[in-house]
Structure formats: C-alpha cells, structure tokens
Amino acid sequence: MKRQAYEPILITDAARSQGDQLNSRQRRYIVMMAIRVACVIAGAILVGAQAPMLWLWLPLCGLGMVLIPWLAVLLANDRPPKEQHRLANRFQPRNRDETPPMSLTADERPYKVIDAEP
C-alpha cells in the first residue's frame, strides 16, 4: 500500500473568504462608477466650454459612460474559479487511499503508548 508523504496545511494556501472577495468586488465597482461620473462631468464641461477637438473628446467620454458600467457589473459579479467542479467526481471514479491523510505508522509516532494495566 502506497503511503502519501505528510504535507502540512498552510494558511497561505487557503482561499480568500467570501466577505473579503465581496469587499474587493464592491471597491472595484465603486472606483469604476467614479470614473464613469468623471466621464459625464468631463463631457459636460467640454460641451459647455466649446473645447478644441470636441469631435474626438465627446465620443471618448461617451464610450466611457457606456462601457464602464457594463464592465463594472461584469467584474463585480465575477468570482474566482473553484478548485473543482461539483459534478467532476460523479463522472470519474474515486481513488481512495486506505490510510487517513495525516495518520502515522507505529514507527513514525513521536512517542510510544505504554499500556498500564490496573
């Protein structure tokens, strides 16, 4: 029987919590909406001031006003990929090891258990 080597579980390998992911996505959404507001304000100022090359700046502001909200919603709803798909194990046979992943044999134990009979 092949025994797997002991591998400690590190906290750095853990996935980010759902609350942390949600906060990150909310901050990204707010920043993108702030950029959209800046595009709206810049477009209004450019039209009011009759800026040179208005034919170039207004379409750029318009694209910012249309594309940024769309991207903001897509990125706000995006989650990191899962490790495995939940149905993956249903279609592939499982290879189970008989020993638990962290069990030690009698020789590998750091101390020996002495049976004391009363």
Side-chain angles (χ1 to χ4, degrees):
M1 177 179 347
K2 184 178 177 183
R3 191 180 156 288
Q4 296 177 347
Y6 172 72
E7 293 181 20
I9 298 171
L10 302 174
I11 190 67
T12 55
D13 293 339
R16 290 175 47 197
S17 69
Q18 289 183 356
D20 190 27
Q21 291 175 14
L22 178 64
N23 289 337
S24 173
R25 292 193 320 256
Q26 286 174 340
R27 274 186 256 123
R28 191 179 327 145
Y29 181 81
I30 289 171
V31 167
M32 292 182 84
M33 286 295 115
I35 294 171
R36 179 187 184 213
V37 169
C39 286
V40 171
I41 292 171
I45 290 172
L46 288 172
V47 169
Q50 295 295 323
M53 295 195 327
L54 192 61
W55 57 271
L56 175 67
W57 296 112
L58 281 182
L60 288 176
C61 287
L63 278 174
M65 288 184 285
V66 172
L67 290 180
I68 289 178
W70 176 68
L71 287 173
V73 169
L74 284 179
L75 293 175
N77 290 327
D78 188 29
R79 287 186 164 201
K82 292 184 178 181
E83 294 292 325
Q84 290 181 339
H85 193 270
R86 21 177 214 182
L87 297 178
N89 292 333
R90 293 184 187 236
F91 300 115
Q92 297 175 355
R94 294 182 185 181
N95 294 331
R96 290 191 175 183
D97 191 9
E98 296 297 323
T99 60
M102 295 180 63
S103 68
L104 300 174
T105 62
D107 297 333
E108 296 173 329
R109 290 189 185 133
Y111 57 89
K112 293 185 178 183
V113 177
I114 300 173
D115 292 331
E117 295 182 19

